[in-house]
Amino acid sequence: MIRFTDVEKRYDNGVDALRGISMSIEDGEFVFLVGHSGSGKSTIIKTLTGEVLPTAGRVMVNGFSLNKISERQIPLMRRTIGVIFQDFRLIETKNVYENLSFAMRAVGASPKAIKQRIPYVLDLVGLAGRSRRFPHELSGGEQQRVAIARALVNNPTTIVADEPTGNLDPARSYEIMQLLERINRLGTTVLVVTHELDLVKRFHKRIIVLERGRIVSDGKERPIRPVHRWE
Amino acid sequence: MSKGHNFSYFIHEGVSNMFTHGFMSFAAVGVTVACLLIMGTFTLVAYNINEQLHRLEQDNQILAFVDDSLNDLEARALIDDIEGIPNVRSVEFISREQALDAYISQYEESERDIFDGMEASVLRHRFAVHVTEISLLGETAASIDAVDGIARVKAYEDVASGFVAMRNVASVVCIALIAILFLISIFIISNTIRLTTFDRRDEIAIMKMVGATNGFIRWPFVYEGFLLGLLGSLIGFLLQWALYEFVARGVSASDTMQLIQMVPFSQIWHYVAAIFGLSGIVIGVFGSLTAIRKFLRV
Ligand SMILES: Nc1ncnc2c1ncn2[C@@H]1O[C@H](COP(=O)(O)OP(=O)(O)OP(=O)(O)O)[C@@H](O)[C@H]1O
Ligand SMILES: [Mg+2]
């Protein structure tokens, strides 16, 4: 479960990126986080991965209170979250299989566990048979699937995606969203940040709308604001 | 994080990092070798001077000659006075007869007949005095000279004070150099490893993202530093050995330096190896730790 209570973030340069965010996401939920550029979406993601410290307010992530968390516990907290980015962030010198085994080894998985887990995850994201390919030998959509597989490989309870479809064409974007929805149905909490309201409207999910560091709408209804406000 | 499969991973990563930056690794090892060599050379010079001083201390540094007016018994009784002087480690009475015998025995047997009929009375009774601290030799000699019944004192002060001065200079230079060179070596190794961490910043970011502990992220780099340091100390040791043998041979072949007796390398190689190994490893590990410190914050 993720819970923000009156969270504020002011960056060192004086920018107020978050101005009192309160929200909670239950286990197993699928949530879209939308808002125009600079509204604070990435700051929320970075706050819940512990990359950015809030200036005020309380943050709970999967049982860890990020206000009180010790440096030693941060890695344990991060293992409960799988993160996906717009630019995939795969290691170019490693093939698909090695990219995944690298992520597993980093948290101390045994070779046996690695061998068992990777084919399952690759199959789940529809990349069975691509394991020896290098990132540059894959399409953008396939690369993002590898990134999703990497986020899933350590079996996190939550997946957080910051504009996962930003670099993909509409058809590929829709497929990626479908994949995330399927992963959600298998029991993983999913939080997706996106610009693409057209895409969001095709899924009947909870939508949190952010505007200049504040939540202006939260619910399953369509957001009241016109689409062009976010483009 | 002590699992076997992790350890082999760290070794593999550490070794391959080292080869990826061939030139920088070469430079880092070279600097470590140079630093260890300079450090080692000064230390060995200081050590040899010190050994030389100990040897001098064991020789008779002070000979105190007894006034001829004293009879045998009176002369021998002076030993108590001399033993009471500070810094005197041991006193040995040498009678005229013993002194004569010792004197004659310096010569080849065939030449000894020239001393036939030589009276022991031409020599004086004497005390051979050993001191504890050679740098106070002058003061001690003066105190012995002041004892009633001692006619004359002979101390090998010039030689001794020369060595003491050398030892003091060598120790100061040694400590200063060791400190400076240690820092330089750590700095260079640290920069080499910083290159690797820069190369691997994407991988480090991913490791942190998926929840690797700082310890896990750190190990391959520490291992790389460890290997660089160890390699440096190994090469440094071999060169130091060669240098030492070369100097030792030069010293024993030279006429003017016959006085100096160098400790054979075979007697001290294990100390040298241990110190070189330890220094190399400390330099390497410290270097890598400073290089990755800033990468591991949040
Ligand atoms: N590291 C930083 N230092 C200073 N200011 C920052 C930093 N990161 C973000 N900001 C500022 O904080 C505000 C929110 O940024 P954030 O990245 O959260 O927006 P976003 O909603 O993700 O935007 P986008 O849709 O363009 O990705 C912006 O005004 C941005 O300029
Ligand atoms: Mg953003």
Side-chain angles (χ1 to χ4, degrees), chain A residues 35 56 72 92 195 206:
Chain A
R72 287 179 151 274
E92 293 297 322
H195 265 116
R206 177 178 166 196

Side-chain angles (χ1 to χ4, degrees), chain A residues 11 13 15 17 36-43 163 195:
Chain A
Y11 283 108
N13 60 1
V15 173
H36 59 62
S37 185
S39 58
K41 305 181 298 291
S42 294
T43 304
E163 312 227 18
H195 265 116

